[in-house]
Amino acid sequence: MRLFNYTTEKDGFCGLFSPIEENGNAAVIVLEDGHPDSYVVKTAMKWLNQSGVSAMGVGPEKYMKGVHSWPLENIENAVHFLQSQGCDRIGVIGSSFGSNMALSAAARIPEITLTIALTLMDWVYWGIFNDKIDETLERPADGESAFTWRGKPLPCMPSPYKHPDYWKMFKKEGKQRGMSLAALDLHNLAEEKHPVTEAERIPVEKINGYLILAGAKDDVAWNTCRGISRMKKKIEESENNCNLKVLIYDHCGHIIFPESMMKLLFPAFLVDMIIPRFLVKRKGM
């Protein structure tokens, strides 16, 4: 896999690009809340290359140490770069926080005609720091939205806790549920304290082209199915150019990747041993 590096200062976006010649007019941008040189992003890019499309990873520069007041124009600039390379079919894919990035960008960049959001939330997230202050892996960026657009912060859901209580509650729930990713109570409390307003909702009805939303009923990071249900309802009740596909799984947790990608992430024998233990029953909504 050939990788070409791009920086925000020089190119208008922080990214890695892995083109393939066989299908040079199509590309998918992989989005994550960390720098795009992460193992997961590069594995997703490799999987996309093997699936027949060029791939790009886009994310914040390392010095940001999180996602806070991050300009969605970074993704727009990446889209324009891909167009300059001859791509006329451009998609985005994101999982967890990356799905928030993908949906928020696709709702504002009409050139994106495929959006895949895995284990999503339907409102704009608060800004986060991953700077390990006070031994925390994550803390809220007080007063900051995760994203900006045209120089203005996107209205976002406020965090239910401030630092250091935020991480304390995160760890407490993870211990109670036996899963480090668990934060269902935290996110439910966020909606209890501050019911979602129209301004904070991601305007999913403005997304152009194909939209795939996937989540699991046993997701303990947040209530993915609730977000999917609200997005589906909004699309059904509005005029749009969106071709929606919803996938709901009974047992998948917060990590939903194709099996073929899982075998790139982990040794194949380990995937073959683990996957049969889960009842992956898919239902259409």
Side-chain angles (χ1 to χ4, degrees):
M1 183 172 68
R2 295 178 301 155
L3 290 175
F4 299 91
N5 289 271
Y6 302 88
T7 65
T8 305
E9 290 75 15
K10 181 181 178 182
D11 306 293
F13 65 96
C14 173
L16 300 176
F17 184 40
S18 178
I20 60 171
E21 297 179 359
E22 300 86 74
N23 192 14
N25 68 330
V28 175
I29 299 172
V30 181
L31 296 166
E32 193 185 51
D33 58 344
H35 191 277
D37 69 354
S38 75
Y39 176 68
V40 172
V41 171
K42 288 192 286 190
T43 301
M45 291 172 62
K46 182 178 180 180
W47 177 77
L48 286 164
N49 280 175
Q50 292 180 356
S51 301
V53 295
S54 296
M56 173 174 280
V58 172
E61 297 279 5
K62 289 182 179 179
Y63 58 73
M64 283 196 69
K65 296 181 179 179
V67 185
H68 49 97
S69 299
W70 189 67
L72 291 174
E73 285 87 351
N74 285 280
I75 302 173
E76 184 180 43
N77 293 338
V79 168
H80 292 165
F81 167 80
L82 291 172
Q83 289 178 317
S84 74
Q85 302 300 300
C87 295
D88 55 17
R89 293 182 295 161
I90 299 172
V92 291
I93 183 171
S95 175
S96 191
F97 200 105
S99 69
N100 213 253
M101 301 168 78
L103 292 165
S104 297
R108 292 166 174 84
I109 305 170
E111 294 90 345
I112 295 173
T113 55
L114 168 66
T115 304
I116 302 174
L118 311 175
T119 58
L120 58 100
M121 183 65 73
D122 67 326
W123 37 258
V124 176
Y125 214 83
W126 52 80
I128 59 170
F129 281 107
N130 303 121
D131 51 10
K132 299 183 180 180
I133 284 183
D134 298 326
E135 298 182 352
T136 63
L137 296 183
E138 180 177 307
R139 64 184 179 93
D142 290 343
E144 288 190 67
S145 172
F147 314 118
T148 65
W149 179 249
R150 301 297 188 244
K152 296 181 180 180
L154 296 190
C156 67
M157 174 69 72
S159 170
Y161 297 106
K162 294 184 180 297
H163 176 74
D165 293 333
Y166 180 89
W167 184 246
K168 289 179 181 178
M169 298 308 297
F170 212 113
K171 287 184 66 177
K172 179 181 178 182
E173 185 174 348
K175 185 176 181 180
Q176 289 174 339
R177 296 183 182 273
M179 295 182 181
S180 60
L181 287 174
L184 182 61
D185 294 343
L186 184 147
H187 291 101
N188 283 340
L189 181 61
E191 291 204 24
E192 290 175 16
K193 286 187 171 183
H194 184 91
V196 187
T197 68
E198 186 67 14
E200 295 147 0
R201 184 187 61 81
I202 299 173
V204 65
E205 70 279 4
K206 295 182 180 179
I207 290 178
N208 196 29
Y210 293 94
L211 172 61
I212 299 173
L213 307 176
K217 293 179 180 179
D218 62 351
D219 191 336
V220 295
W222 49 55
N223 194 328
T224 294
C225 294
R226 179 171 61 201
I228 290 176
S229 178
R230 291 192 298 220
M231 284 188 164
K232 180 174 181 286
K233 183 174 185 292
K234 188 67 178 179
I235 289 173
E236 290 174 345
E237 293 176 348
S238 65
E239 293 185 8
N240 57 77
N241 295 313
C242 184
N243 189 337
L244 176 65
K245 176 70 173 179
V246 169
L247 301 172
I248 296 293
Y249 298 87
D250 288 330
H251 306 290
C252 255
H254 193 64
I255 306 299
I256 296 179
F257 295 135
E259 183 177 345
S260 54
M261 181 178 160
M262 291 289 286
K263 288 184 177 181
L264 292 177
L265 281 166
F266 306 105
F269 80 90
L270 186 61
V271 177
D272 290 336
M273 183 172 62
I274 292 175
I275 285 183
R277 296 177 180 269
F278 291 85
L279 299 176
V280 186
K281 298 179 180 179
R282 187 175 71 188
K283 292 184 178 180
M285 287 184 64

